[in-house]
Amino acid sequence: MASTLTTKNAAYSLRALSMGASDYIPKPSSTSELHSGVAFRHELVGKVKTLGTAFRKGQGQPLPGEANDKSENDGQEERAASPAPPKVVRKSIAFAKPATQPAKIIAIGSSTGGPQALFKVLAGLKSKLSVPVVITQHMPAKFTAILAEHIESNCGVPCKEGVDGEPIEAGRVYIAPGDFHMRLTGDRSAPQIKLSQDEPVNFCRPAVDPMFESVASIYGACTLGVVLTGMGHDGEAGGRQITEAGGSMIAQDEATSVVWGMPGAVANAGICSAVLPITEIAGRIAKLVGRGG
């Protein structure tokens, strides 16, 4: 989906995502910007290539450049044969120990494919949500407010964009507004949201790492970080701080991720206590909130 940054078009884009679209991209606001928009072309081509690679892997198809050269004499047999799955050498994942204390906050990071994943996780928590949830989803302004509305209506949990200086409350979900980093300040007895337009982190604003780092500094071993589907590696550095503080990290598995970039980065860093399909993440969160372990 390519959409201009208006509330109306953000709503259309979120609806398209809920119906199966993989991602969206802000559309240039003028024809001249479209023709001269190097950033737009770069982002669009990058997303198409990444999504195409993920699709090929999921179908067991060779990636560009991996197919074996065949003799033209074998043309008919070549076309009739199914492509052989690519040979992929995977590094075995080392798991970190889960926290021994119950989680007092859930911090979630997501990007490409994130809205659908968030709907599934939060819908599974609606009757068990006894702690605050803070979310950074890579999205532009306008989109995050609509996403919050969709989460509240579809998942049955109170959800809104974070507001600078706002205290966070148990049982509520707060989403970083588009174009703002969202951190927490204060202490565990009175945490507050702090928004900023500091420089992008990992080419993103909002970014997951600043949120994870701030949550870990306040909640320490009572932090539960979750990284869902998305491109890049945002969340890895902040997730490491959560683990080093004694908290737990969960990553979505590759099979159920639209793109296994962000969750793959934290999984391969050895900082997760679990790598799970999207359908099992809510249950594991409830367990960690309920009693730790």
Side-chain angles (χ1 to χ4, degrees), residues 166-218:
E166 177 181 19
I168 63 170
E169 301 176 13
R172 302 188 67 87
V173 180
Y174 304 87
I175 293 181
D179 203 32
F180 286 87
H181 294 308
M182 184 171 77
R183 298 177 172 90
L184 296 187
T185 61
D187 56 34
R188 201 182 302 182
S189 64
Q192 295 183 345
I193 290 172
K194 179 177 176 57
L195 302 181
S196 76
Q197 288 189 308
D198 294 343
E199 289 298 312
V201 177
N202 302 316
F203 307 102
C204 302
R205 188 171 65 205
V208 179
D209 278 336
M211 182 184 73
F212 276 3
E213 291 162 5
S214 69
V215 172
S217 70
I218 293 173

Side-chain angles (χ1 to χ4, degrees), residues 108-262:
I108 303 176
S110 52
S111 184
T112 306
Q116 304 97 313
L118 288 168
F119 294 154
K120 290 176 181 176
V121 170
L122 294 171
L125 291 174
K126 66 179 179 179
S127 62
K128 311 164 189 173
L129 198 55
S130 59
V131 300
V133 179
V134 290
I135 296 172
T136 290
Q137 160 71 38
H138 294 164
M139 270 187 164
K142 305 287 186 183
F143 281 63
T144 45
I146 302 299
L147 175 61
E149 292 175 6
H150 280 232
I151 287 174
E152 183 159 321
S153 61
N154 294 341
C155 304
V157 295
C159 182
K160 64 190 294 292
E161 281 188 316
V163 176
D164 192 53
E166 177 181 19
I168 63 170
E169 301 176 13
R172 302 188 67 87
V173 180
Y174 304 87
I175 293 181
D179 203 32
F180 286 87
H181 294 308
M182 184 171 77
R183 298 177 172 90
L184 296 187
T185 61
D187 56 34
R188 201 182 302 182
S189 64
Q192 295 183 345
I193 290 172
K194 179 177 176 57
L195 302 181
S196 76
Q197 288 189 308
D198 294 343
E199 289 298 312
V201 177
N202 302 316
F203 307 102
C204 302
R205 188 171 65 205
V208 179
D209 278 336
M211 182 184 73
F212 276 3
E213 291 162 5
S214 69
V215 172
S217 70
I218 293 173
Y219 285 87
C222 295
T223 305
L224 172 56
V226 181
V227 179
L228 304 177
T229 174
M231 298 181 191
H233 58 85
D234 192 21
E236 180 184 352
R240 192 177 298 280
Q241 291 201 20
I242 289 174
T243 302
E244 289 175 353
S248 292
M249 287 292 300
I250 297 173
Q252 185 176 351
D253 72 353
E254 185 172 9
T256 62
S257 294
V258 175
V259 178
W260 208 54
M262 290 164 51

Side-chain angles (χ1 to χ4, degrees), residues 76-97:
Q76 287 188 341
E77 292 180 10
E78 167 96 18
R79 286 190 291 272
S82 299
K87 294 180 180 179
V88 179
V89 178
R90 299 194 184 282
K91 183 174 69 173
S92 60
I93 295 173
F95 290 97
K97 292 182 179 179

